[in-house]
Amino acid sequence: MGQKFHCGISEGFIVRYAGIKFKQLHFDADAIVYAYEKIKEVAFRLGIEPPVPHLAGFAYPHVASLGCEIIFPEDSEPKPLPILKSPQDIDNLREPEDYIASSVIKRKIATLEKLLEKAPNAWKSIGHLYEGPITTAMLLMGETFLTLPYDDPIRAHRLLEFCTKSAINYAHIIREKLGVPVEPGPVGIPDDFAGMFPPALFEEFVLPYWEMLYSGMKATERHLHSELLRIDHLVLLEKIKIDLYDPSADQYVTPEILRNHCPCDFTLLIKEWEIDTLDIEELEKLYDRYASVKPRSINFWLCFPDHEEKIIRLVKKARSMA
């Protein structure tokens, strides 16, 4: 069986190539249509399918629905502001009466509706359904959450349960609103900060809430994205029955560590800095190394104009092994 791969074009590249502002990719349907039409010529040069029009990747709809203010700079990523100032604030958390009443959610939905009128094949999505429970807790409380399991474990559990249950409820409501209700199928959880907890705390404060989220989302296959896991975390993925692990830019696990210690399928990413610093021969050798550990997929992205020739050669290399 050949080595699967995915080559994509980053949103940052799309914005720069189209000459628009990043914020327009969030809220300007005309700009989105223009940008994705324009990028077709780049996809043609790379020899890949052009990306489908969609609103910019947005990780924070769920926390926006809970009351977080989201700052949208003109030319950079959105930034959420925490709403919990102290552990005692956790005691007063309540789910919203209307998950789509937030001004950000309403504006996103309105933009999507306009986009679908202009590009019926666009993704029916306003962003990620949720972040994982640990990451959501940090978005709501800031970095002080990282000490809460040590200082006040009862409130830490209370917050994580709130994060998880509200994520499930938000996901079902927004998917119904967009006409794509939650049904049994593969489910992914992005929880980059989960690896901040050592294995003993990980088993108590991470795994139960992942289980709750996968079950609540009717997962028939469990996918996980987390960038801070170590070797000692990998064995725990079997306890939660993960089917596919995406370490992305995880600095603690090498391809060889994953081959020897990961209990499930995994993907590998050729990172932006590797494409920038390695010459094409070195990138081809890196691809061979990655392929030798048999990941489910090897992924790489075009992020900058001067990387285009390297990406063309990588696509050729990947196709030769597919």
Short mmCIF file of all heavy atoms in Angstrom, two decimals, residues 27-59:
data_model
loop_
_atom_site.label_atom_id
_atom_site.label_comp_id
_atom_site.label_asym_id
_atom_site.label_seq_id
_atom_site.Cartn_x
_atom_site.Cartn_y
_atom_site.Cartn_z
N PHE A 27 -14.93 37.59 7.58
CA PHE A 27 -16.22 38.30 7.56
C PHE A 27 -16.62 38.89 6.20
O PHE A 27 -17.64 39.58 6.14
CB PHE A 27 -16.19 39.44 8.59
CG PHE A 27 -16.02 38.98 10.01
CD1 PHE A 27 -14.89 39.33 10.74
CD2 PHE A 27 -16.98 38.19 10.63
CE1 PHE A 27 -14.72 38.92 12.05
CE2 PHE A 27 -16.82 37.78 11.94
CZ PHE A 27 -15.69 38.14 12.65
N ASP A 28 -15.87 38.66 5.14
CA ASP A 28 -16.17 39.27 3.85
C ASP A 28 -16.35 38.18 2.80
O ASP A 28 -15.38 37.64 2.27
CB ASP A 28 -15.03 40.23 3.46
CG ASP A 28 -15.33 41.04 2.21
OD1 ASP A 28 -16.13 40.58 1.37
OD2 ASP A 28 -14.73 42.12 2.05
N ALA A 29 -17.59 37.84 2.50
CA ALA A 29 -17.87 36.74 1.57
C ALA A 29 -17.29 37.00 0.18
O ALA A 29 -16.76 36.09 -0.47
CB ALA A 29 -19.38 36.50 1.48
N ASP A 30 -17.38 38.25 -0.30
CA ASP A 30 -16.83 38.57 -1.62
C ASP A 30 -15.32 38.36 -1.65
O ASP A 30 -14.78 37.82 -2.63
CB ASP A 30 -17.15 40.03 -1.98
CG ASP A 30 -18.62 40.23 -2.31
OD1 ASP A 30 -19.23 39.33 -2.92
OD2 ASP A 30 -19.16 41.29 -1.94
N ALA A 31 -14.63 38.78 -0.58
CA ALA A 31 -13.18 38.60 -0.52
C ALA A 31 -12.81 37.12 -0.46
O ALA A 31 -11.81 36.70 -1.06
CB ALA A 31 -12.62 39.34 0.70
N ILE A 32 -13.60 36.32 0.25
CA ILE A 32 -13.33 34.88 0.34
C ILE A 32 -13.46 34.24 -1.04
O ILE A 32 -12.59 33.47 -1.47
CB ILE A 32 -14.29 34.21 1.35
CG1 ILE A 32 -14.04 34.75 2.76
CG2 ILE A 32 -14.12 32.69 1.32
CD1 ILE A 32 -15.09 34.33 3.77
N VAL A 33 -14.53 34.56 -1.76
CA VAL A 33 -14.72 34.01 -3.10
C VAL A 33 -13.57 34.41 -4.02
O VAL A 33 -13.00 33.58 -4.75
CB VAL A 33 -16.07 34.46 -3.70
CG1 VAL A 33 -16.17 34.08 -5.18
CG2 VAL A 33 -17.22 33.86 -2.92
N TYR A 34 -13.19 35.68 -3.97
CA TYR A 34 -12.09 36.17 -4.80
C TYR A 34 -10.79 35.45 -4.46
O TYR A 34 -10.06 35.00 -5.36
CB TYR A 34 -11.91 37.67 -4.61
CG TYR A 34 -10.66 38.20 -5.24
CD1 TYR A 34 -10.56 38.39 -6.62
CD2 TYR A 34 -9.54 38.51 -4.46
CE1 TYR A 34 -9.40 38.85 -7.20
CE2 TYR A 34 -8.37 38.98 -5.03
CZ TYR A 34 -8.30 39.14 -6.40
OH TYR A 34 -7.14 39.60 -6.97
N ALA A 35 -10.48 35.32 -3.17
CA ALA A 35 -9.22 34.71 -2.75
C ALA A 35 -9.13 33.25 -3.19
O ALA A 35 -8.08 32.80 -3.67
CB ALA A 35 -9.07 34.82 -1.24
N TYR A 36 -10.23 32.52 -3.05
CA TYR A 36 -10.19 31.10 -3.40
C TYR A 36 -10.25 30.88 -4.91
O TYR A 36 -9.79 29.84 -5.40
CB TYR A 36 -11.28 30.34 -2.65
CG TYR A 36 -10.84 30.02 -1.24
CD1 TYR A 36 -11.08 30.92 -0.20
CD2 TYR A 36 -10.14 28.86 -0.95
CE1 TYR A 36 -10.64 30.67 1.09
CE2 TYR A 36 -9.70 28.59 0.34
CZ TYR A 36 -9.95 29.49 1.35
OH TYR A 36 -9.49 29.23 2.62
N GLU A 37 -10.77 31.83 -5.65
CA GLU A 37 -10.69 31.76 -7.10
C GLU A 37 -9.25 32.05 -7.54
O GLU A 37 -8.70 31.37 -8.41
CB GLU A 37 -11.66 32.77 -7.73
CG GLU A 37 -11.77 32.65 -9.24
CD GLU A 37 -12.30 31.31 -9.71
OE1 GLU A 37 -13.14 30.71 -9.00
OE2 GLU A 37 -11.89 30.85 -10.79
N LYS A 38 -8.66 33.04 -6.92
CA LYS A 38 -7.29 33.44 -7.25
C LYS A 38 -6.30 32.32 -6.94
O LYS A 38 -5.34 32.10 -7.71
CB LYS A 38 -6.93 34.69 -6.44
CG LYS A 38 -5.56 35.27 -6.69
CD LYS A 38 -5.49 36.02 -7.98
CE LYS A 38 -4.14 36.73 -8.13
NZ LYS A 38 -3.95 37.28 -9.50
N ILE A 39 -6.51 31.60 -5.87
CA ILE A 39 -5.53 30.60 -5.44
C ILE A 39 -5.55 29.36 -6.34
O ILE A 39 -4.63 28.53 -6.27
CB ILE A 39 -5.76 30.22 -3.96
CG1 ILE A 39 -4.43 29.78 -3.30
CG2 ILE A 39 -6.80 29.12 -3.81
CD1 ILE A 39 -3.40 30.87 -3.22
N LYS A 40 -6.56 29.23 -7.18
CA LYS A 40 -6.63 28.07 -8.09
C LYS A 40 -5.39 27.99 -8.97
O LYS A 40 -4.92 26.90 -9.30
CB LYS A 40 -7.89 28.13 -8.94
CG LYS A 40 -9.16 27.81 -8.19
CD LYS A 40 -10.38 27.88 -9.12
CE LYS A 40 -11.66 27.53 -8.38
NZ LYS A 40 -12.86 27.63 -9.27
N GLU A 41 -4.84 29.15 -9.38
CA GLU A 41 -3.67 29.12 -10.25
C GLU A 41 -2.44 28.57 -9.54
O GLU A 41 -1.60 27.91 -10.16
CB GLU A 41 -3.40 30.51 -10.82
CG GLU A 41 -3.17 31.61 -9.81
CD GLU A 41 -3.32 33.01 -10.38
OE1 GLU A 41 -4.34 33.29 -11.05
OE2 GLU A 41 -2.41 33.83 -10.15
N VAL A 42 -2.36 28.82 -8.23
CA VAL A 42 -1.26 28.25 -7.46
C VAL A 42 -1.44 26.74 -7.31
O VAL A 42 -0.48 25.97 -7.47
CB VAL A 42 -1.16 28.93 -6.08
CG1 VAL A 42 -0.05 28.29 -5.25
CG2 VAL A 42 -0.92 30.42 -6.23
N ALA A 43 -2.65 26.32 -6.99
CA ALA A 43 -2.93 24.89 -6.86
C ALA A 43 -2.60 24.16 -8.17
O ALA A 43 -2.06 23.05 -8.15
CB ALA A 43 -4.39 24.67 -6.48
N PHE A 44 -2.91 24.79 -9.30
CA PHE A 44 -2.61 24.20 -10.60
C PHE A 44 -1.10 24.01 -10.76
O PHE A 44 -0.64 22.95 -11.22
CB PHE A 44 -3.17 25.07 -11.72
CG PHE A 44 -2.84 24.57 -13.10
CD1 PHE A 44 -3.54 23.52 -13.67
CD2 PHE A 44 -1.79 25.15 -13.82
CE1 PHE A 44 -3.22 23.04 -14.94
CE2 PHE A 44 -1.47 24.69 -15.10
CZ PHE A 44 -2.19 23.63 -15.66
N ARG A 45 -0.32 25.03 -10.36
CA ARG A 45 1.14 24.91 -10.48
C ARG A 45 1.69 23.81 -9.57
O ARG A 45 2.66 23.13 -9.91
CB ARG A 45 1.81 26.25 -10.13
CG ARG A 45 1.52 27.36 -11.13
CD ARG A 45 2.53 28.48 -11.02
NE ARG A 45 2.55 29.15 -9.73
CZ ARG A 45 1.84 30.24 -9.44
NH1 ARG A 45 1.03 30.78 -10.38
NH2 ARG A 45 1.92 30.81 -8.25
N LEU A 46 1.07 23.67 -8.39
CA LEU A 46 1.52 22.63 -7.46
C LEU A 46 1.08 21.23 -7.89
O LEU A 46 1.66 20.23 -7.45
CB LEU A 46 0.98 22.90 -6.05
CG LEU A 46 1.39 24.19 -5.35
CD1 LEU A 46 0.77 24.25 -3.96
CD2 LEU A 46 2.89 24.33 -5.26
N GLY A 47 0.03 21.17 -8.70
CA GLY A 47 -0.51 19.88 -9.11
C GLY A 47 -1.41 19.26 -8.07
O GLY A 47 -1.48 18.03 -7.94
N ILE A 48 -2.14 20.10 -7.32
CA ILE A 48 -3.05 19.60 -6.30
C ILE A 48 -4.44 20.18 -6.55
O ILE A 48 -4.61 21.14 -7.30
CB ILE A 48 -2.59 19.97 -4.87
CG1 ILE A 48 -2.59 21.50 -4.68
CG2 ILE A 48 -1.21 19.39 -4.58
CD1 ILE A 48 -2.31 21.94 -3.25
N GLU A 49 -5.44 19.58 -5.88
CA GLU A 49 -6.78 20.12 -5.98
C GLU A 49 -6.85 21.46 -5.26
O GLU A 49 -6.28 21.62 -4.17
CB GLU A 49 -7.79 19.16 -5.33
CG GLU A 49 -8.06 17.90 -6.13
CD GLU A 49 -8.77 18.21 -7.44
OE1 GLU A 49 -9.73 19.02 -7.43
OE2 GLU A 49 -8.35 17.65 -8.47
N PRO A 50 -7.51 22.46 -5.84
CA PRO A 50 -7.62 23.75 -5.17
C PRO A 50 -8.45 23.64 -3.90
O PRO A 50 -9.39 22.84 -3.84
CB PRO A 50 -8.30 24.64 -6.21
CG PRO A 50 -9.01 23.70 -7.12
CD PRO A 50 -8.19 22.45 -7.15
N PRO A 51 -8.13 24.42 -2.89
CA PRO A 51 -8.91 24.37 -1.65
C PRO A 51 -10.33 24.88 -1.87
O PRO A 51 -10.56 25.77 -2.69
CB PRO A 51 -8.14 25.28 -0.69
CG PRO A 51 -7.33 26.18 -1.57
CD PRO A 51 -7.02 25.38 -2.80
N VAL A 52 -11.26 24.30 -1.13
CA VAL A 52 -12.68 24.68 -1.23
C VAL A 52 -12.88 25.98 -0.44
O VAL A 52 -12.34 26.14 0.66
CB VAL A 52 -13.57 23.56 -0.66
CG1 VAL A 52 -15.03 24.00 -0.65
CG2 VAL A 52 -13.39 22.29 -1.49
N PRO A 53 -13.64 26.93 -0.96
CA PRO A 53 -13.87 28.19 -0.23
C PRO A 53 -14.46 27.94 1.16
O PRO A 53 -15.33 27.09 1.32
CB PRO A 53 -14.88 28.94 -1.12
CG PRO A 53 -14.69 28.37 -2.48
CD PRO A 53 -14.33 26.93 -2.27
N HIS A 54 -13.97 28.69 2.13
CA HIS A 54 -14.52 28.60 3.48
C HIS A 54 -14.08 29.79 4.30
O HIS A 54 -13.11 30.48 3.96
CB HIS A 54 -14.10 27.30 4.17
CG HIS A 54 -12.61 27.13 4.30
ND1 HIS A 54 -11.83 26.63 3.28
CD2 HIS A 54 -11.76 27.37 5.34
CE1 HIS A 54 -10.57 26.58 3.67
NE2 HIS A 54 -10.50 27.03 4.92
N LEU A 55 -14.80 30.06 5.37
CA LEU A 55 -14.39 31.09 6.30
C LEU A 55 -13.05 30.70 6.92
O LEU A 55 -12.74 29.51 7.06
CB LEU A 55 -15.43 31.27 7.41
CG LEU A 55 -16.62 32.21 7.13
CD1 LEU A 55 -17.48 31.67 6.00
CD2 LEU A 55 -17.45 32.41 8.39
N ALA A 56 -12.27 31.70 7.29
CA ALA A 56 -10.96 31.43 7.88
C ALA A 56 -11.08 30.50 9.07
O ALA A 56 -12.05 30.53 9.82
CB ALA A 56 -10.31 32.75 8.31
N GLY A 57 -10.06 29.65 9.22
CA GLY A 57 -10.03 28.78 10.38
C GLY A 57 -10.18 29.57 11.66
O GLY A 57 -9.47 30.56 11.88
N PHE A 58 -11.10 29.16 12.51
CA PHE A 58 -11.44 29.93 13.70
C PHE A 58 -11.64 28.96 14.85
O PHE A 58 -12.57 28.14 14.83
CB PHE A 58 -12.70 30.76 13.43
CG PHE A 58 -13.15 31.61 14.58
CD1 PHE A 58 -12.25 32.39 15.29
CD2 PHE A 58 -14.49 31.66 14.95
CE1 PHE A 58 -12.67 33.19 16.35
CE2 PHE A 58 -14.93 32.45 15.99
CZ PHE A 58 -14.01 33.22 16.70
N ALA A 59 -10.77 29.04 15.84
CA ALA A 59 -10.78 28.05 16.92
C ALA A 59 -11.73 28.39 18.07
O ALA A 59 -11.90 27.58 18.97
CB ALA A 59 -9.35 27.90 17.48
#
